[in-house]
Amino acid sequence: MSNEDNVELTDGFHVLKDVLKVNGIDTMYGVVGIPITNLARLWEQDGQKFYSFRHEQHAGYAASIAGYIQGDKPGVCLTVSAPGFLNGLTALAHATTNCFPMILMSGSSEREIVDLMQGDYEEMDQMNIARPHCKASYRINSIKDIPIGIARAIRTAVSGRPGGVYVDLPAKLFGQTLPVEEAQKLIFKPIDVAPAQIPAADAIARAAEVIKSAKRPVVMLGKGAAMAKAEAEVKQFVEQTGIPFLPMGMAKGLMPDNHPQSAAATRAFALAQCDVCILVGARLNWLMQHGKGKTWGNELKKFVQIDIQANEMDSNQPIAAPVVGDVKSCLALLNEALKGAPKAPADWVGALKEKVDTNKGKLATKMAAPVAPTGMNYSNSLGVLKEFMLANPSINLVNEGANALDNTRMIVDMLEPRRRLDSGTWGVMGIGMGYCVGAASVTGDPVIAVEGDSAFGFSGMEVETICRYNLPVTIIVMNNGGIYKGNEADPGNGLVSCTRLVRGRYDQMMEAFGGKGYLVETPAELKAALEEAVASKKPCLINAMIDPDAGVESGRIKSLNIVSKVGKK
């Protein structure tokens, strides 16, 4: 557009679009509405991808997992103001907790009205509400500040320990204008937004000495190492030292689960008996019982911890050898320092191998168990998926639930990094369908989602989104008709048990939106449906009928579930 002097003008919509493009952002996830609808339209008209969801939280989860898979650039979620912003904020907090690089951009109401609390449309001080839940929270008030504001957001999201960033976009910003020539001079791409962080030489030497002196060492691989794309350095470290390794849930595949040094099948024994644990991009948080108690043999282990954040050290237990830096740089230097060192003691490696073989034999027996008249269990159904994933390792596996999560993590082996995408550090429910869209969008590869029927309910309406964009997503709903189990007795007085669900036809729900649905009751039927569904590269849902009695209360974290003892004798 132009003014009376024939100077070509641009506006906030176009400058924001151009800045994102210059920074390599080609995809946004969100829900449109006032005041950002036309930004999404312009984005699509310019040839960029916009995935329009039914709920902002799921769009945010898609952006968060896109950031994790990409690693070097954040996923971007776009929402409307106030309620839409709050819906997206849950996903932003999830991204920050999990160290996923993500930017939440939300339209907002006018500052002068919000600041005086005069009752504007969807009035809310979004920038300050977001601040405790992300790495940084910014507001861009001037069109001239859009390039620098987005640069700050991207650098903050991906540098150091990655995480979520909020960018507030007041409605008036979009209507501001600037001469095109002036705007072009302001637009830039920041240089080296995620620089390597090299560890100190004495830290490497200290860690090497602790590792060399270990009698029963074990390596714990975390999703931080997976997101850092450090698989080559991890492989060299594990194979050079001969130390058995254990992967956290989203680190599965960083080293193949069927690698001879994997001790995952005897995790409890390995942690309780080890004398040195090398944490590689993993945090000593609740998922590892804080490094304390029975899990760790009720004794303090020597920990070598590799982490990019200095204050992560000693967060729960004293760290004997802290190595602060990015995982790739740390491991490269540590591998050099350990050249020629003796491998892990053979008696320890042999003891773990014996336990692994015994436990794998027990699991194989469970997977081969006959199907009860009331339906499959988790072992004999997920055994089908185990074999399928071994034959198709480049498929993305999304996983959430309680028993559905625990059993899939235990049974299904992963051979490639960043393919297992699960509930993460918070153990949050509802990531399923958003993750499916994000993973399909970023990788272009098929996605299989294994969902508990309760977990699926959090985001199930997004199957319409998956169908609308015709994504290669196959959803397996493990349907036992309840939260944990489907057979809890009703309390009486006409009330329904708080853990019971309708054991319904989720397959018909998928077909209502144009996808393909399957109802399966045996492993053989599941195998046939899975092969056909994934080969179609179209939206499919397999309703896997599981025994209502399959599953345990709260899955593997039952100890965290407080039970009332009042009135009991």
Side-chain angles (χ1 to χ4, degrees):
M1 52 187 165
S2 60
N3 63 14
E4 54 271 59
D5 297 321
N6 292 318
V7 174
E8 188 179 3
L9 299 178
T10 186
D11 62 14
F13 285 121
H14 288 81
V15 173
L16 180 56
K17 171 181 68 69
D18 292 343
V19 168
L20 291 169
K21 283 177 59 181
V22 162
N23 280 279
I25 306 297
D26 59 9
T27 304
M28 287 196 284
Y29 311 86
V31 178
V32 298
I34 298 171
I36 50 86
T37 305
N38 283 323
L39 176 61
R41 286 195 179 113
L42 288 168
W43 186 252
E44 288 190 315
Q45 289 166 10
D46 199 47
Q48 314 305 307
K49 291 190 291 183
F50 189 90
Y51 288 93
S52 183
F53 280 73
R54 305 301 293 265
H55 193 284
E56 293 90 352
Q57 190 169 332
H58 309 134
Y61 288 141
S64 73
I65 209 63
Y68 167 75
I69 297 169
Q70 292 165 166
D72 57 353
K73 64 180 179 180
V76 177
C77 178
L78 180 66
T79 81
V80 301
S81 50
F85 152 77
L86 287 174
N87 288 341
L89 186 58
T90 299
L92 187 69
H94 167 78
T96 303
T97 300
N98 283 285
C99 313
F100 299 158
M102 173 188 164
I103 296 174
L104 173 65
M105 301 192 307
S106 297
S108 64
S109 298
E110 304 311 331
R111 295 307 321 155
E112 58 270 27
I113 304 177
V114 172
D115 291 345
L116 281 174
M117 299 175 66
Q118 293 176 316
D120 200 6
Y121 170 72
E122 296 190 344
E123 177 182 284
M124 181 174 284
D125 188 359
Q126 296 166 201
M127 182 181 74
N128 285 312
I129 289 171
R131 187 161 279 141
H133 306 291
C134 55
K135 282 186 74 178
S137 182
Y138 303 120
R139 178 181 298 125
I140 303 175
N141 290 300
S142 167
I143 186 173
K144 292 183 179 181
D145 289 333
I146 291 175
I148 205 76
I150 296 301
R152 294 206 71 195
I154 290 173
R155 186 180 291 278
T156 303
V158 301
S159 64
R161 173 174 283 176
V165 175
Y166 175 64
V167 178
D168 196 71
L169 304 171
K172 280 186 179 178
L173 177 70
F174 298 115
Q176 293 177 23
T177 60
L178 196 66
V180 168
E181 187 176 348
E182 185 178 347
Q184 289 174 343
K185 290 178 182 178
L186 293 171
I187 293 173
F188 76 106
K189 182 178 182 180
I191 297 166
D192 195 16
V193 293
Q197 295 191 22
I198 311 301
D202 61 342
I204 293 293
R206 185 188 304 115
E209 287 306 310
V210 171
I211 292 168
K212 287 177 187 177
S213 66
K215 300 291 191 293
R216 300 181 304 281
V218 67
V219 178
M220 180 66 76
L221 302 174
K223 65 178 180 294
M227 190 171 69
K229 301 181 180 176
E231 47 267 28
E233 291 81 3
V234 167
K235 177 179 171 66
Q236 183 183 343
F237 177 78
V238 167
E239 294 183 345
Q240 176 179 308
T241 62
I243 299 175
F245 68 88
L246 301 162
M248 299 299 288
M250 283 182 63
K252 284 170 65 71
L254 186 60
M255 288 290 290
D257 279 335
N258 59 5
H259 190 282
Q261 285 174 245
S262 173
T266 186
R267 185 180 192 271
F269 179 81
L271 294 183
Q273 298 298 319
C274 74
D275 64 341
V276 171
C277 179
I278 302 111
L279 302 166
V280 183
R283 292 175 284 183
L284 208 55
N285 56 20
W286 74 275
L287 289 164
M288 284 191 278
Q289 290 72 46
H290 308 283
K292 303 173 184 178
K294 182 180 177 182
T295 297
W296 295 88
N298 290 309
E299 62 181 10
L300 175 63
K301 310 294 182 175
K302 280 190 176 180
F303 290 103
V304 176
Q305 183 165 9
I306 298 172
D307 201 286
I308 202 164
Q309 184 119 330
N311 66 0
E312 184 59 40
M313 307 302 171
D314 311 314
S315 59
N316 277 290
Q317 290 280 56
I319 302 300
V323 183
V324 179
D326 71 275
V327 171
K328 286 173 72 75
S329 298
C330 292
L331 282 180
L333 291 169
L334 197 52
N335 286 336
E336 192 65 30
L338 289 168
K339 277 188 176 175
K343 290 201 170 188
D347 57 343
W348 168 243
V349 174
L352 288 180
K353 181 71 165 58
E354 184 178 342
K355 292 276 187 181
V356 165
D357 290 345
T358 299
N359 290 344
K360 283 187 173 180
K362 292 177 182 176
L363 181 59
T365 300
K366 289 182 180 179
M367 290 189 294
V371 177
T374 47
M376 297 178 284
N377 61 36
Y378 287 100
S379 297
N380 55 25
S381 58
L382 289 170
V384 170
L385 181 61
K386 174 186 172 75
E387 295 306 315
F388 187 85
M389 288 298 297
L390 286 172
N392 300 276
S394 295
I395 289 175
N396 302 291
L397 179 63
V398 172
N399 189 203
E400 65 173 329
N403 294 283
L405 175 71
D406 294 335
N407 286 286
T408 303
R409 183 176 57 232
M410 177 180 65
I411 292 170
V412 179
D413 289 336
M414 305 299 294
L415 305 185
E416 294 184 5
R418 295 171 298 282
R419 295 294 188 181
R420 179 181 166 79
L421 312 169
D422 69 23
S423 303
T425 306
W426 260 357
V428 68
M429 294 287 190
I431 52 94
M433 300 305 100
Y435 272 25
C436 287
V437 175
S441 168
V442 170
T443 68
D445 296 321
V447 181
I448 296 173
V450 179
E451 301 274 315
D453 51 350
S454 172
F456 176 71
F458 283 77
S459 65
M461 192 63 193
E462 299 297 348
V463 297
E464 186 274 330
T465 306
I466 291 167
C467 288
R468 189 173 359 117
Y469 292 103
N470 197 31
L471 297 173
V473 173
T474 297
I475 302 155
I476 304 173
V477 177
M478 309 297 281
N479 188 355
N480 65 358
I483 301 171
Y484 313 132
K485 294 186 177 188
N487 62 356
E488 182 168 292
D490 291 336
N493 300 320
L495 300 175
V496 178
S497 164
C498 60
T499 68
R500 195 152 56 82
L501 305 170
V502 173
R503 200 162 175 237
R505 294 295 301 273
Y506 298 104
D507 51 303
Q508 293 180 348
M509 175 183 174
M510 173 60 94
E511 294 199 336
F513 296 110
K516 171 75 172 175
Y518 301 85
L519 179 67
V520 303
E521 297 181 334
T522 67
E525 291 174 355
L526 176 57
K527 182 175 187 290
L530 183 60
E531 290 174 351
E532 181 181 299
V534 174
S536 75
K537 297 183 178 179
K538 293 186 178 298
C540 299
L541 188 149
I542 301 171
N543 190 5
M545 303 306 283
I546 304 294
D547 185 345
D549 197 38
V552 295
E553 176 85 10
S554 302
R556 290 182 179 270
I557 54 173
K558 184 174 183 178
S559 60
L560 300 181
N561 196 19
I562 306 301
V563 178
S564 173
K565 295 180 172 59
V566 175
K568 292 187 177 181
K569 296 181 180 179

